[in-house]
Structure formats: structure tokens, C-alpha cells
Amino acid sequence: MEFLLIGQPNCGKSTIFNEVIGYKSIASNFPGVTVTYTKGEIILHNGKFNIIDLPGTYSLVPSDDAEKATITYLYSKYNEDNVIINICDASVLSRSLELTLQLMELQKPMILVLNMIDEAKRKGININTEKLSDLLGIPVITSIGREGVGIYEIFDTAYKLSKEKKVPKIIEGPADVEKIINQVENRLENIDLQFNKRFAAIKLIEKDEIFVKLIDDKLAETEMSDINSMIKKLESIPNKDSSFIISSVRHNMSFNIFEKVAIVNRNVKRDIRDLIDNILLHPILGHLFLILILYLSFQIVFWFGGLIEPFFGDFFEIIGNYLQTNFKHNPLIYHSLNGLVQGVGGGIMIVIPYLFPFFIILSLLEDTGYLARVAYMVDNIMHKIGLHGTSIFPMIMGYGCTVPGILATRILKSDRDKFITATLTTLVPCSARLTVILGLVGFYISGQAAILIYILNIVIIGITGKFLSKVMPEVSPGLILEIPKYHLPSIKSLLSKTWFRLKDFVYMAWPLLIIGSIIMEIISYYKWDNTINAILKPLTVQLLGLPVAVGTVLLFGIMRKELALIMLFSALGTNKIAQVMTTTQIMTFTMFVTFYIPCLATIGALSRELKWKKAGIVMLLTFSLAIIISFMTRIFYSLF
Amino acid sequence: MQKLLVECEPGSKVKIVNINAGLKARKNLQNFGIQFGDIVKIKRKNIMKGPMIVESNGSEIAIGYGLAQKIIVEEE
């Protein structure tokens, strides 16, 4: 038995999920092919129930991959015993009801949860829940997710409903539309579909691509053409597309229901949060605050990382020394163990000092509602590189770890935007590259030079974006984004979001990092590095003017970029880099590491999100870019 | 008087008369509860062809400049 949590984005669905699952069992995440949903377990009246937290969706006709995943899951579980828990933000009830009406069409047991009911009251909206429940024929429950109010009632009602199996009322539309729905429904009468016939009829009329594909093989050509001519008849009168007619019917229905059940008091006090936006979204002041807020966020991460990283560094050095003294006589075991320790240690030294604080701050910006405003503020700048404001999310996340950054491109609506954003996100220096930039350039040259690399990086990202959008021109739908109300975030939600994103690194990147380090150590044991260095000589020595020993460093930097620094030390046999490399060489090397082929885990994420072919293009592109840029760096520095 | 949404100033209330955009964009707008006949209030506008924020059915939606050029409205 499953309880499916479905709702529009920002309705507080995940807060409710965490509230229930948080302490009763550990929420486990299973990465699907295209998207992740969260599953948890609760015990109610001595029975075990699974709760599935599906990605937020505005409607059952999807407009991006995350929404598609929700709908596909919903359809795949259609014939199983489950209860739909439709959660909506009560303060935007009228709009939310459109999804509710679509879910009701499924004719499965469901309940409607009016979440954030306090927010609705503050806005002066009073909802008569009994009347709403009567009109829809489903239980309606009010809740305040963040305070835990009404949570038990939601699942208790879902439990009762799972026994009763009562399905929602059928709410009929205007007569002319109903007539066509009935005709199509009758035409489907003798066909064995796994779905409710009326629901199937509506979906066919609506020309819902996902649904049509699902039942395509069940319909013969004659049936399809009959149904199509019925749809044509519907379209002929108002001369509008049938998908549009159906959605207009729902739009009007929701509005009418809202009018019947809600009393809106228009004379509520002006919300103080509007005043915050007068500053933060001010055309000029807003941009200044944006720069300030982002700058401070990064400063906090750097400060925290710099504070605790040495502690871990010392710790793993002690272990390294211990291995060296105790396994002197068995070099193969020593090298393998050393690789393992470096892999584990390297991961810890990224996760705890940098990724953890970065994702906490990012979640804080997201949960308060500021991140959506960032998208609004930068939309015009992003237009210059052919993208929209929404593309800023994955790119900002890329400063933490590229893997969750790439996965975040799912929120984008067009494949082209996804591709360009994913490419640009791989160019953003992640926290692993940060350690190289700080440890090499910051330490041996100067802090300003390190900042220069970051600025240069932004410029190059801009040029690449401009280039890609010229090569792939497309009229994309443009920015449409909900600007949520400011909220005080809950610690629980911050931590669970941070963990959710860290998991991408922990499960995808870290294992590769450990394997990579072990392989590298074994290679150095068998002394294969000389061969690799010789093969890469034309690139490293002749083109970029780097020491021959960096060949292996660069090759294995693909496994884990932050290791490039440690490996450079071991390849050159010293950690006094300034004695063996010139400023030009340090800059060239760092530029190359910053831009060239992303790490293995990123390649994995790219191929998952974009498929292999496009992932290959991204790799080729970043590699060529790295060669050009580092070559230019070499020329530039040797001129002075 | 009919005009484009993009020409409206913050503070004004307008009725949406037509949306001259593709099916995809219209669907996206619909998802946020913006359709013909709806009344929206313009809350803010960003500079340099930036997006605008409109209030519709109690929620605030940011709409890109290009899209706002395709939405025809009537001043209330």
C-alpha cells in the first residue's frame, strides 16, 4: 500500500514528508533513470505503509522532466492499491484546484490537504472545508506542515480511505464538452484499458502525449480516426485547440469552486514581506544586494573550509605516515592502502569543509525564497548568453559540486537550454577545483591571481554561452517562474535538502574517487607513469610548456580533480612547487585543470541527463576549451 | 484600450485578452493559472528588458520580457 504525495511546487509537500518520516524511519532516496523521488515508511494502526514524495508538478500535462517523472510514476502505479494525497498551498487555492481536478479524473481514492492554512488566513482567505469536501467528494484536511499541525490527521484519513476505497465525484463540464467526452468514452467501451474510461477519454481529447503513447498500441486505426473526428467536432465551434478547451474548462471549474468555498477579505494589512522585495527586487539596489549576498555566501564557505580543512589534512597525513612506517616491506599493499586512504580522505576534505556549508547556505537561500528572486534578477543578463534566469540554479550549485548541478538542469523546460546550461555548469569551478585554485595559485602566486581566475572563468562561461546559443538558435518559451513568499526555513528541511544534494557526491563521485586513487597508486608502484607522461608529452611539454611529470597528474585528474594538487606534489617529488614550476607554469596548469574534461562522476551525470552523444560533445568542447585557454595563458604570461 | 503586457506599468490591473505565444508557452502560463479573461496586477518590472512580476490568483509570477511582449491585455 502506497500513499502518493502529489502537489504543485512550493506547496510544502516535502516539509510534510520530512515531518512524518524524519524520526520514524530514514528516508531513502533511490535515483531513477531521470529523476529522484523520495520514499519513506510509516506504521499506522499496526500496518506498514510506503509514502512516496513525488517531484512537484503544476499539472498532469508535464512541461519538464521532473514533472514527467511524477506523471509516469502515477500512471505506472494506476492499478495498484494506493491513496493519492494531493497537497496544495491553501493561499493559492484557486490555481491549485486545477491539479486537484486533474487528479480526481483518475478516479482513485484521494484526499486534498490544504497546507499553509495560516498563510491563507493571513492573506484574508477563509475556506469552508466541509463545503469543498462536499463539492469534490473527497476528504479535505487543513494543515500547517512546518508546525506539524494536521499531519497525523492526513495519514489517519488516508488510512481510512484505503479501507473504504471511495473515489472522487465526477464533476461535469459544459454540455458540449461533456457530449464529446461521452462519445469518446463510449468508443472506448470494448477496449481493454488499464485506466478509467472517462479519464482515458479526457486525456485523448486533451492530446496528452505521454498518455496517448501509453495506450497507443491498444487502439486500432479505425478507433483512433473515429476519436480524432470527434475531437475535430469539438474544436470546430470555438475554433480552438481541444487541449486548450479542456484546460479552460478546468480553469473555470476551479475558479467557480473557489468562489463557492472561499471568502476573501480584501482589506488585510499590507504584508511586510512586500516591503523586503521593494529593496531586494529593486531594479538597481536589488542587483547590488544580489552581489553582496552571493559574495558573503561564498566568503562564509571559504572561511569555514579554510578553518577546518587543515585539521583533516593533518589527520590523514598522520595515517599516511603510519602506513609508510608499517608497510615498508610490502610496497604493493602500501600503495593500495595509501590510495584508499587518499580517496576516503580526499572525499572527506571536500564534503565537510566545503560542500556541507555550501549546500546549507544554498538551501537557506532556496528555502527563504531568495533563489527564485535571483533568477528574476539575472534573467536579463542570462538572456545575453541565450538562456533564462532559471539556468542560474544549476550553475550556482556547480560551485559546490558539478554532479548535483548537472542533475538540477532537470528543472529546465527545453532540451537546448538543458544542454547549454549543463555545458556551462561543468565549466563552473566546483569545490574540488577550488582546492586546486586556492592551493596552487592562491598559495604560490597570490590571492588576487586566484580571484582573477574566478573572474576569467565567468567571462569564459559567458563567451561559451554566447557561442553555443548562436550555434543552437531556438525560440524558447521564456521565463515563467513563481516567486514564492519569503519563509523562515526550518532546520529539518535545511538538513534534509543538504543531505539530499550531498548524496549525489557521496554515492556517485566518492566511490570513483576512491577507485581512482587506488589505481593511481598502483600505476606508480608499477612505474607506468613514465610511459603515460611520454605519450602526453606533445600536449604537456610542447604545447603548454609544463613539466613532463604532469602528464599522469592531468590524466588522473579526470578521476578526481582536487587530487591534481596532491598528485602534482608527488609527481614532482616536492611540495615546494615554486622551486620547480614557474608562475607561468602554475597559471597554465591551473587553467587547464579548471576547464578540461570534467571528473568521472560528472561524465556519469552528464550522460544520465543528456545521453552519451551530447555528453561526448560536452567533454570534447571543454577539453578543446582547456587547451586553447591554457595555451593563451602560457603566451600571455611569457610576454611579461 | 488594448496593449501589450510588457508596456504596462507596476501598479496597474489588466485583463488578459490574448496570448500570441506557442502552445508550450501557453501551457506554462496556464500551469500558473494565467489564461484569457484572467485579471492580473503588475507588481514589478526589472530594467534592461528584464522580466516582470504579476500577481494572479494570489500568487506572484515572474514572466520574461519576450513572453510579456506576446500577451495582449486590456486596462481595467
Side-chain angles (χ1 to χ4, degrees), chain A residues 555-576:
Chain A
L555 184 69
F556 286 95
I558 295 175
M559 304 248 189
R560 33 181 303 201
K561 285 202 168 172
E562 92 298 345
L563 204 71
L565 187 61
I566 304 165
M567 278 168 44
L568 189 68
F569 293 158
S570 80
L572 297 174
T574 173
N575 58 7
K576 298 195 172 58

Side-chain angles (χ1 to χ4, degrees), chain A residues 216-388:
Chain A
D216 211 13
D217 54 338
K218 301 233 169 74
L219 295 178
E221 232 163 78
T222 52
E223 283 145 1
M224 222 37 212
S225 73
D226 281 0
I227 291 170
N228 279 335
S229 61
M230 291 168 191
I231 296 173
K232 286 255 155 55
K233 212 158 72 194
L234 179 68
E235 287 175 331
S236 65
I237 316 151
N239 196 19
K240 290 220 165 89
D241 192 81
S242 61
S243 69
F244 188 75
I245 297 173
I246 296 286
S247 70
S248 299
V249 169
R250 286 198 201 104
H251 188 70
N252 294 336
M253 260 183 206
S254 334
F255 195 73
N256 288 336
I257 295 171
F258 179 76
E259 294 277 278
K260 276 184 199 152
V261 300
I263 300 165
V264 184
N265 176 12
R266 307 251 173 231
N267 302 319
V268 282
K269 263 198 304 193
R270 197 165 171 200
D271 201 322
I272 185 148
R273 290 174 289 186
D274 270 356
L275 300 176
I276 302 177
D277 270 347
N278 284 347
I279 300 166
L280 290 186
L281 295 186
H282 186 274
I284 294 151
L285 277 180
H287 285 98
L288 292 177
F289 270 98
L290 172 70
I291 294 167
L292 188 72
I293 289 170
L294 290 183
Y295 175 77
L296 282 179
S297 305
F298 282 109
Q299 273 299 316
I300 292 172
V301 175
F302 293 163
W303 168 79
F304 184 84
L307 203 67
I308 67 169
E309 201 194 315
F311 169 75
F312 287 105
D314 291 348
F315 177 72
F316 285 103
E317 205 178 301
I318 292 169
I319 296 186
N321 290 339
Y322 172 83
L323 289 178
Q324 204 164 16
T325 44
N326 286 284
F327 291 92
K328 246 188 296 196
H329 309 297
N330 200 335
L332 183 60
I333 291 189
Y334 164 69
H335 278 286
S336 317
L337 281 177
N338 198 33
L340 182 73
V341 169
Q342 278 188 17
V344 174
I348 290 176
M349 277 161 71
I350 292 175
V351 171
I352 298 177
Y354 295 107
L355 266 188
F356 180 71
F358 179 85
F359 284 141
I360 286 273
I361 291 177
L362 187 70
S363 310
L364 189 74
L365 292 179
E366 189 183 346
D367 279 10
T368 50
Y370 187 66
L371 215 49
R373 287 161 172 87
V374 173
Y376 165 79
M377 293 304 289
V378 301
D379 188 58
N380 47 12
I381 301 164
M382 298 298 277
H383 273 230
K384 303 255 183 290
I385 56 171
L387 292 171
H388 299 297

Side-chain angles (χ1 to χ4, degrees), chain A residues 491-625:
Chain A
I491 306 266
K492 220 189 237 173
S493 146
L494 284 187
L495 289 176
S496 79
K497 263 195 184 154
T498 303
W499 169 233
F500 192 84
R501 281 164 186 157
L502 276 179
K503 244 192 274 201
D504 290 334
F505 176 85
V506 173
Y507 291 146
M508 281 182 72
W510 206 343
L512 293 170
L513 209 141
I514 294 170
I515 295 168
S517 321
I518 296 175
I519 294 177
M520 248 154 28
E521 281 290 317
I522 290 175
I523 283 178
S524 83
Y525 168 71
Y526 285 110
K527 306 230 174 332
W528 289 334
D529 37 356
N530 290 336
T531 328
I532 295 171
N533 287 340
I535 296 169
L536 291 175
K537 210 173 157 189
L539 172 72
T540 51
V541 179
Q542 279 143 13
L543 191 65
L544 303 179
L546 295 171
V548 67
V550 304
T552 24
V553 180
L554 291 180
L555 184 69
F556 286 95
I558 295 175
M559 304 248 189
R560 33 181 303 201
K561 285 202 168 172
E562 92 298 345
L563 204 71
L565 187 61
I566 304 165
M567 278 168 44
L568 189 68
F569 293 158
S570 80
L572 297 174
T574 173
N575 58 7
K576 298 195 172 58
I577 296 294
Q579 290 174 4
V580 285
M581 277 172 92
T582 61
T583 307
T584 312
Q585 285 179 322
I586 293 177
M587 278 308 263
T588 311
F589 177 82
T590 310
M591 281 312 230
F592 193 79
V593 170
T594 307
F595 286 100
Y596 88 133
I597 306 184
C599 72
L600 263 189
T602 305
I603 296 175
L606 278 172
S607 58
R608 204 165 99 177
E609 290 302 313
L610 304 175
K611 305 283 167 304
W612 278 108
K613 205 175 134 198
K614 280 187 182 163
I617 299 175
V618 177
M619 284 190 270
L620 201 70
L621 205 83
T622 51
F623 186 61
S624 338
L625 206 59

Side-chain angles (χ1 to χ4, degrees), chain A residues 4-14 52-60 66-67 70 74 84-89 95-96 99-100 103 111-113 115:
Chain A
L4 309 176
L5 298 189
I6 303 179
Q8 297 187 329
N10 284 320
C11 67
K13 192 168 49 66
S14 297
I52 313 286
D53 182 18
L54 293 163
T57 180
Y58 284 103
S59 87
L60 289 192
E67 295 190 359
T70 298
L74 196 60
I84 294 172
I85 301 179
N86 173 208
I87 296 170
C88 80
D89 174 354
R95 185 190 82 198
S96 310
L99 176 64
T100 307
L103 289 169
I111 56 179
L112 174 62
V113 178
N115 193 32

Side-chain angles (χ1 to χ4, degrees), chain B residues 17-33:
Chain B
V17 183
N18 207 348
I19 300 172
N20 285 334
L23 196 67
K24 208 169 170 182
R26 275 203 333 247
K27 228 172 229 169
N28 284 335
L29 283 170
Q30 250 169 40
N31 285 342
F32 290 98

Side-chain angles (χ1 to χ4, degrees), chain A residues 8 58-59 61 63 67 91-92 94-95 98 123 240 243-244 247-248 251 255 274 277-278 281 283 287 376-377 379-380 384 413-414 475 477 479-483 485, chain B residues 23-36 38 43-53 55-67 70:
Chain A
Q8 297 187 329
Y58 284 103
S59 87
V61 185
S63 57
E67 295 190 359
S91 69
V92 290
S94 165
R95 185 190 82 198
E98 295 191 34
K123 264 184 167 177
K240 290 220 165 89
S243 69
F244 188 75
S247 70
S248 299
H251 188 70
F255 195 73
D274 270 356
D277 270 347
N278 284 347
L281 295 186
H287 285 98
Y376 165 79
M377 293 304 289
D379 188 58
N380 47 12
K384 303 255 183 290
K413 308 230 182 281
S414 92
V475 198
L479 179 84
I480 309 176
L481 182 74
E482 181 169 5
I483 305 292
K485 283 253 177 254
Chain B
L23 196 67
K24 208 169 170 182
R26 275 203 333 247
K27 228 172 229 169
N28 284 335
L29 283 170
Q30 250 169 40
N31 285 342
F32 290 98
I34 298 177
Q35 277 199 14
F36 307 143
D38 284 347
K43 297 272 290 196
R44 297 171 202 286
K45 248 173 143 171
N46 205 347
I47 45 167
M48 285 162 47
K49 298 198 171 181
M52 54 205 306
I53 296 181
E55 192 186 293
S56 153
N57 298 318
S59 54
E60 291 187 9
I61 317 289
I63 298 177
Y65 188 88
L67 191 58
K70 294 175 186 157

